[in-house]
Amino acid sequence: MPKDFISLADYSTEQIRKLVDLAHDVKRNPRAYRDACEGQTLAMIFQKPSLRTRVSFQTGIYQLGGQGIYLGPTDIQLHRGETIADTAQVLARYVDGIMARVFAHSDVVELGVNASVPVINGLSDLLHPCQVLADLQTVSEKFGRLQGLKFAYIGDGNNMAHSILYGCAKVGMNVAVGHPHGYAPDPDVVTRTRELAALHGSAVQITADPMEAAADADIIYTDVWTSMGQEDEAKERLKRFEGFQVNANMMGAANPGAIFMHCLPAHRGEEVSADVIDGPQSVVFDQAENRLHAQKAIMISLMGRRH
Ligand code: CP
Ligand code: NVA
């Protein structure tokens, strides 16, 4: 395994499959791993708010026999000008792993370069790989496989879209992104995804027509229209994303057995209608639960002593 968990693009298909398999096992048999990170400490840097990431990491490391330390935006010296490099080197003298939620993706990369201990990306403006690992676990639970399924992401070409593109391409899922004009995924991420998809036999479709993306999909996924840090654009985005709501009509374009996914937090009536997110096709709380198991798998693999 690589030292850090910063992007799924850095992991081989085999390594991603191993993490998903371990996540399944951790979920089935948590007691088998209760001392996997015994006596270890995870520093958790948060420059943005969080419910799922914060609670699942803190609980997860505790369940593995270790402890988490929450370091909020004004708790450490980063906001007073201490460099990322110094922060990383100091933390590595105390702790066994660092999880970081940051604005600039380069910050989490720099933490990884400067810390001798594993660094886990708990969301950056570019990527959200922990979420997608939990999502792959969830899809694999629901369908019993990953390869060959069609995964449609509808909405903003944001950090979720990017990690979904990488994750799907790596495991041989066909992936479609339906985005409004002006909100396409990052072209470098799309280029890299196309290269990866060509290696693993999956199709990549990027379109401004959400119904085309949703057509015959096994998974329909969406995320908020305004991500953390974009609050000033919220009003404009509400207008620009009209027609991109995942509702019963859009779910109707997908395969009959399709599931609905959302990383949460959700805004009912914006990116998703209440009847869909609260309906029988929705698996959003399984996704949220699987953050715990998937991240325990990451910590066991990168920090654990005996697995
Ligand atoms: N999905 C997710 O990462 O949620 P939080 O922002 O609450 O951590
Ligand atoms: N795109 C969202 C994901 C939240 C988990 C954001 O960055 O705010």
Side-chain angles (χ1 to χ4, degrees), residues 8 11-19 169-172 200:
L8 289 171
Y11 278 64
S12 68
T13 302
E14 183 56 29
Q15 288 165 337
I16 294 172
R17 283 187 191 285
K18 262 192 156 151
L19 284 171
K170 284 277 181 177
V171 301
H200 300 108

Side-chain angles (χ1 to χ4, degrees), residues 28-43:
R28 272 193 302 265
N29 196 8
R31 292 173 70 81
Y33 299 93
R34 67 184 163 185
D35 58 359
C37 293
E38 192 177 0
Q40 296 196 322
T41 299
L42 179 75

